Amino acid sequence: MTMTVTNPINLASTLCEMPPGPCAIIIFGAAGDLTKRKLLPSLYNMRLNKLLPENFAVIGLSRAPINTDAFREDLTSSTKEYAASRFDAEHWNWFKERIYYLQGNFDDAKVYSNLGELLANVDREHGTQGNYLFYLATSEDYFETIVEKASQADLHKALENQWRHFIIEKPFGRDLKSAHELNKKLLTVLNENQIYRIDHYLGKETVQNILVFRFGNGIFEPTWNHHYIDNVQITVAETVGVEARGGFYEKAGNLRDMVPNHMFQLLSFIAMEPPTCFDADVVRSKKTELINSIRPLTYEDVHTNVVRGQYAAGEIDGQPVPGYRTENRVAPDSTTETFTAMKLMIDNWRWVDVPFYLRTGKRLPKRTTEIAIKFKSPPSCLFRNTTVSSLVENYLIMHIQPHEGISLEFGAKIPGPLLQVGPVQMDFDYQDYFGPSPSTGYETLIYDCMVGDQTLFQRDDNVEAGWRVVQPILDVWQSEKPKDFPNYPAGTWGPLAANKLINRDGRDWKI
Ligand code: BG6
């Protein structure tokens, strides 16, 4: 992550003074959706914003029986469709000439020797100088194999002044044990500074802005603790169902898919202690420290403080949508959860007695990701014995997506002779202020990987800390199947138990 103190409107032009050095990106799983929808459009955006080196190439690798020409054509149409920026034929032609395709199975040693030869040619042709970014955009079943085979072909070994980095997509493991095993395996071959465990939430501008908001300003941090904050609510709500991913989702479920990764990224940025400098390892140590301070959930906690749900048929935006159990590749009696809510406590000095309520799910009434921070009421009510019967609640809300901004809700005197207090809102809207900034969210992450900045990537201990927190939930849910599924109609805010979870503390969900 490049932080530049400048007028942010000029961020792209500041960065264009420092595109990464020469390199090639090798995408494993190149025929998949991620490549078409996110990776190629991101690389193309980077080219438009002068964030790619002139000496550059892309190699796509997958099992699909196509050749380089067909791959280039395929990517031309998908990039036209998914690039967040305008399609510019001149830039695309530059780009297209640097795209290559290699067909093969990920477990076939021959593929890696072919890849080595192709890379040597690409180095000669495009001056990429032996700097390689391997992007593992495959199913998690192949992560280990690819790294192992690539290392057997010596592709992971950089000569002096070269680099070899590996981006590993999510899911990184399916529980604590498997994540630990995977870390161990990768680390037998690679150094930690070659491994970039990606979580695309960290590529979102508004997520990165949490750090700037907290630590780049003097006015908020002094109130950022249990003296002033009553509770924190993190909501990641989606209107979509499982779409075409029923097979994957049946095995994963909502908890694994969203909580130890995306939700905990938001939680750690909101709640971590200030790092002493903006160094990747210092920042990441603070994040791990925070996640490790979450009070471990006991068996009883899982029952009282964690709620799971599964959507039944219902309506989204006035349109009927099917229930989860009738989605493609989903078992008709599936017990997979599509909704999770929980209350977590953080056992450190800053957050003592401040509950953190997390809620995420599919087929909820609106797509929104936001963090609502509720401040405590004033210690005494100055206006007693007046017409003011109650004070307005003070919320700071960080809107992560799709609306991007920050708002502050507070009470103001309603004009007139009577003393009345009403709620008002101060809004900062990213778009109003900075204008639209078309991006897929992957540009920053790919750029950072090319320049060797791991701040926005998960270190081995970050990932394991997240799994450690949710492991007791996985265990209880695995052994005790839900009896009330499906328990919320699509288009509602999840099961009633999610409301009870917060209402019993005398609080309400902000949205
Ligand atoms: C992915 C999950 O990691 O994140 C999906 O696998 C989910 O199930 C998606 O829909 C949400 O990402 P975003 O950026 O749309 O909030």
Side-chain angles (χ1 to χ4, degrees):
M1 169 161 55
T2 306
M3 284 281 173
T4 315
V5 181
T6 179
N7 176 351
I9 294 168
N10 291 329
L11 190 61
S13 58
T14 316
L15 287 173
C16 79
E17 288 157 22
M18 40 181 175
C23 63
I25 174 166
I26 302 95
I27 305 176
F28 289 84
D33 248 22
L34 185 68
T35 306
K36 288 183 198 155
R37 284 173 187 258
K38 301 287 184 190
L39 303 185
L40 255 292
S42 306
L43 291 167
Y44 170 70
N45 281 343
M46 289 168 73
R47 166 68 186 170
L48 290 185
N49 290 316
K50 303 193 173 59
L51 295 176
L52 277 189
E54 283 299 317
N55 299 101
F56 177 71
V58 181
I59 297 177
L61 203 153
S62 88
R63 282 162 299 183
I66 53 171
N67 60 21
T68 290
D69 284 342
F71 187 52
R72 287 178 176 180
E73 283 324 304
D74 201 19
L75 291 180
T76 305
S77 45
S78 56
T79 306
K80 271 186 191 157
E81 189 177 346
Y82 298 116
S85 320
R86 70 194 187 285
F87 188 81
D88 176 303
E90 201 180 312
H91 280 295
W92 178 252
N93 286 339
W94 176 93
F95 200 88
K96 199 166 117 177
E97 285 165 11
R98 286 161 178 77
I99 298 179
Y100 299 86
Y101 184 78
L102 192 63
Q103 195 242 330
N105 285 331
F106 303 136
D107 51 7
D108 178 0
K110 183 86 181 82
V111 170
Y112 297 81
S113 54
N114 291 345
L115 177 60
E117 282 166 26
L118 180 55
L119 280 166
N121 286 338
V122 161
D123 280 345
R124 271 193 298 278
E125 179 107 350
H126 298 290
T128 40
Q129 298 185 12
N131 298 319
Y132 306 144
L133 191 177
F134 298 96
Y135 198 121
L136 276 56
T138 64
S139 136
E140 74 267 31
D141 300 342
Y142 295 109
F143 294 163
E144 233 179 276
T145 309
I146 293 172
V147 170
E148 191 182 297
K149 300 273 179 205
S151 75
Q152 284 162 2
D154 268 351
L155 296 174
H156 68 307
K157 268 198 202 135
L159 303 177
E160 217 184 315
N161 297 326
Q162 290 179 342
W163 53 263
R164 307 279 159 102
H165 296 164
F166 288 72
I167 293 188
I168 317 277
E169 260 297 335
K170 105 177 228 292
F172 196 93
R174 51 176 291 105
D175 53 18
L176 178 58
K177 185 162 174 277
S178 55
H180 180 69
E181 289 298 315
L182 182 56
N183 272 329
K184 230 165 77 185
K185 291 261 167 55
L186 297 182
L187 286 165
T188 55
V189 175
L190 304 174
N191 293 318
E192 180 60 38
N193 65 10
Q194 293 181 281
I195 307 176
Y196 289 69
R197 300 172 193 80
I198 200 165
D199 183 315
H200 78 277
Y201 264 55
L202 292 177
K204 295 182 194 285
E205 289 288 346
T206 35
V207 175
Q208 294 168 37
N209 189 47
I210 300 172
L211 289 187
V212 177
F213 182 83
R214 287 189 58 198
F215 304 129
N217 295 293
I219 56 174
F220 305 110
E221 204 50 27
T223 64
W224 217 256
N225 55 56
H226 68 101
H227 295 296
Y228 300 98
I229 291 179
D230 176 76
N231 76 87
V232 178
Q233 300 176 18
I234 303 180
T235 297
V236 179
E238 298 185 272
T239 49
V240 291
V242 285
E243 301 175 287
R245 299 163 73 221
F248 159 78
Y249 209 80
E250 277 285 87
K251 285 194 269 158
N254 173 267
L255 175 70
R256 282 192 178 91
D257 192 35
M258 299 299 288
V259 178
N261 31 61
H262 306 327
M263 302 279 298
F264 282 3
Q265 298 303 340
L266 300 175
L267 174 64
S268 42
F269 272 12
I270 277 292
M272 69 194 241
E273 292 301 312
T276 49
C277 62
F278 202 59
D279 167 271
D281 273 327
V282 177
V283 173
R284 296 188 300 173
S285 294
K286 288 293 172 194
K287 287 173 66 186
T288 306
E289 182 184 287
L290 186 278
I291 299 297
N292 281 338
S293 331
I294 296 174
R295 187 176 303 163
L297 295 164
T298 61
Y299 174 85
E300 284 74 29
D301 292 334
V302 174
H303 281 274
T304 49
N305 292 342
V306 189
V307 170
R308 56 182 153 170
Q310 185 193 74
Y311 60 84
E315 275 190 9
I316 299 277
D317 293 333
Q319 298 301 315
V321 294
Y324 177 70
R325 289 180 173 183
T326 56
E327 302 271 18
N328 241 342
R329 302 177 62 204
V330 169
D333 56 352
S334 170
T335 53
T336 301
E337 80 286 353
T338 59
F339 175 96
T340 311
M342 64 181 72
K343 170 181 162 184
L344 297 175
M345 301 303 291
I346 295 176
D347 283 332
N348 66 15
W349 281 33
R350 182 188 288 264
W351 295 118
V352 67
D353 288 340
V354 180
F356 284 72
Y357 300 100
L358 275 53
R359 178 176 57 158
T360 179
K362 294 209 182 274
R363 290 287 191 219
L364 301 186
K366 68 173 185 179
R367 175 174 182 243
T368 185
T369 296
E370 63 180 56
I371 304 170
I373 294 145
K374 179 161 183 262
F375 288 87
K376 291 187 170 168
S377 306
S380 82
C381 181
L382 170 67
F383 309 110
R384 57 184 176 271
N385 306 328
T386 70
T387 41
V388 177
S389 55
S390 66
L391 293 175
V392 167
E393 298 188 325
N394 296 155
Y395 272 102
L396 178 87
I397 303 184
M398 309 194 101
H399 306 278
I400 307 291
Q401 66 181 15
H403 171 63
E404 300 185 317
I406 295 174
S407 48
L408 184 63
E409 293 183 12
F410 55 98
K413 181 179 174 302
I414 299 174
L418 277 184
L419 183 59
Q420 283 182 297
V421 179
V424 294
Q425 193 163 311
M426 251 169 21
D427 280 324
F428 152 65
D429 183 302
Y430 250 83
Q431 263 220 339
D432 285 355
Y433 202 81
F434 297 118
S437 87
S439 82
T440 65
Y442 279 72
E443 290 85 349
T444 311
L445 298 172
I446 296 175
Y447 176 89
D448 283 359
C449 181
M450 287 176 176
V451 298
D453 182 346
Q454 293 186 298
T455 315
L456 294 178
F457 292 87
Q458 299 255 77
R459 210 171 49 193
D460 53 351
D461 55 341
N462 296 151
V463 176
E464 291 183 29
W467 282 117
R468 193 168 298 115
V469 174
V470 300
Q471 189 63 50
I473 312 176
L474 293 172
D475 293 342
V476 175
W477 286 4
Q478 170 65 30
S479 61
E480 299 174 15
K481 295 294 174 196
K483 296 195 178 75
D484 60 345
F485 274 14
N487 59 359
Y488 70 97
T492 65
W493 283 105
L496 287 179
N499 290 344
K500 289 194 188 139
L501 172 80
I502 189 164
N503 294 159
R504 67 162 194 252
D505 293 346
R507 302 183 172 102
D508 252 322
W509 292 106
K510 176 62 180 153
I511 47 164

